[in-house]
Structures are given as C-alpha cells and as structure tokens.
Amino acid sequence: MSGSLPATFVKGFHDEEKVRRMEYRQLGSTGLRVSKIALGGATLSKLFSNDFDREEGIRMVHEAIKSGINYIDTAPFYGNSEELLGQALKDVPREAYYIATKVARYEMDPAKMFNYTAEKARESVKRSLNLLGLDRVDILQVHDVDAAPSLDMVLNETIPVLEEYVKAGKARFIGITAYDVDVLKECAERAKGRVHTVLNYSRYTLLDNTLLRHMKTFQELGVGIICAAAHALGLLTNAGPQSWHPGSPELLAVGKRAAEICQQRNVELGKLAMYYTMQLDGAATFLIGIPNRELLRINLDAVIDGLTPHEQEVLQYLRENVFTKSYSWGSTLSTVNMFK
C-alpha cells in the first residue's frame, strides 16, 4: 500500500513525496514493512562490471534510500560491496533502512567458493559487521543452500551460528537463499520457525516462472518472499549479459533477440523485465542490482509509474513472439551458482 509512511521514514532526510509514492509490504511474519523494490548489493562492486564507478555507487545508495527504498541486500561474495555500503551508510540515519547480508559463499575460485562450517560463519558475520560499520544487521542469510554438501549441514551447523547472533542482538532475523526452488522449499520446511525469509533469484522472470511452483508453501510457512534478479543476471537488458553468463546458447539467443527488438523500438528491456517480475503476487520485495542513479531512476519509474502504452505494447509483443516458453538454466549448481 502506498501513501502511508513506513517506520523507516526520517523527516528531514527522506524525500517525503517520493516515499509516499512507494509501495511497502509486510516481509512475512518479521513485522518489517519493506519497499516493493529493494537494493541488491552485487552490482555495487566489480563483480558484474569492471567499469563500476564507486563514487557514483555511493551517490546512488543515498538517492535510493531518500527515494523510499528501505531494504538493502549484500553478501561477502559481492566483491567490496559491504565495504562500499559501509562508506555510503555513514551518512544515512540507521533507522532509515533494513539491511541483510549472508554467510557461506565467499570467493570466485570454485575450490574456495562455498564454506558452510560454523567457524567460517562466525568469522564471516564478524567481518561483515566490521565492513558495514554496524552493530547489527536486520537479516543474516545462508547464501545458496542448494550448493551446500547437505541441508543437514545448513540446518545443524550454519543456521545455529546465525541463531547465536540473533540471541546476542547482532541480527534480528534469519533467511536462506537459493536458485533451485525445490531445495529452497525443502530447507524452509525443515527449518520451520527458525527461518524468516527466503530469497530466490532468476526464477520469476520473462524467461522462467518456476518460483510459482512453491509460492503457496512459502506463504503457508509465513516466510517473507524476496524475489531477485528480474534481469536474469543482465540477460534481460539492452546491454546484454557479461561473457561469463551461465545460460545455454538457446537462452542467450532469446535474450539477445529481445534486446535487439527493444533497441529498435527505443525501449529498455530491463525496465520491461523489472515491471513484469513485479506483477508477481505474494512476494514482499523485488531485489535489483542498481550500479548508478540513471538505472535507479529507470527502475523507480517502472515501480511508481508503470509502463507507457508504447512500452506495454513492446512487452506484449515480446511475450507473444519471443518469450513463448519457460527457459531454465537447470538446477545444477556447477555453472549457475558460480556467478550469483
């Protein structure tokens, strides 16, 4: 519901008119009321682009929060995202935002990428709080539970460490993330009452609607549903994906065709993709990686004002002629999870 001010509103800091135009939704049973669009930290680093402009990223964070975005998601895996956010948030009242970070996924080297041990989780949370310059975060998440050696390890070793931090007042809630919706559902069911949010990425987009398979279960469990990567890791944008994108040749060709059509018709595919994803009922917030203020404004436009008649027409054309079936990258972790 837009119009009423959220608990995160700070008079004199926020642009009140913009905040009133933002829609806020309950995040499961946490009691947090979060903005419909949330800030994803992966693009606040060189993980996705070597051209990332750090100062512009900091300015974008300030403008995003002042415009009413009150949920930020980051992770140790996202390059220097936590450190950049630490710098940016120094100038922002702590009550103006909710922030989530993660444990269990760390380095680009596949041999050292994942570590679900209790010892590593403790060290990771300590480091994240230090980089962010915060005494506490709102949500601690286990990153990509579908890459763990077993869900038993996540439930019996990783999550208990996060529970220690909640007990100590260093975090408020616990979440899990995954690409594989079946594993995410199984983990959420087995952790019932211990996990408060689920984050799923690239599974409700113009290319793939697999998240729908378990939406009802997540809602019944009372967990907040965070839907991420509407742009399918850059594939659904006019600029196209990075060379490492894990999609099949067929998938990449579909994205390229859509981008070419959008360029010819003077429309940004990323805006259409974001708009489409945000029509999903049941999700509390839609996480999007936004590296600069120009893209922030395009995405805020899609949230606040929707699409122009011309953009609606192009979206309809793409759905009827390009995105004619659901394309999955597969649920195996070997390639997909290398990069998210």
Side-chain angles (χ1 to χ4, degrees), residues 46 49-59 84 291-292:
K46 295 199 171 177
S49 169
N50 286 325
D51 301 331
F52 174 66
D53 180 335
R54 183 186 167 83
E55 291 310 311
E56 174 60 20
I58 289 171
R59 285 191 287 267
L84 179 136
N292 57 57

Side-chain angles (χ1 to χ4, degrees), residues 220-236:
E220 285 166 357
L221 288 167
V223 294
I225 300 161
I226 300 161
C227 189
H231 297 145
L233 309 194
L235 182 58
L236 296 174

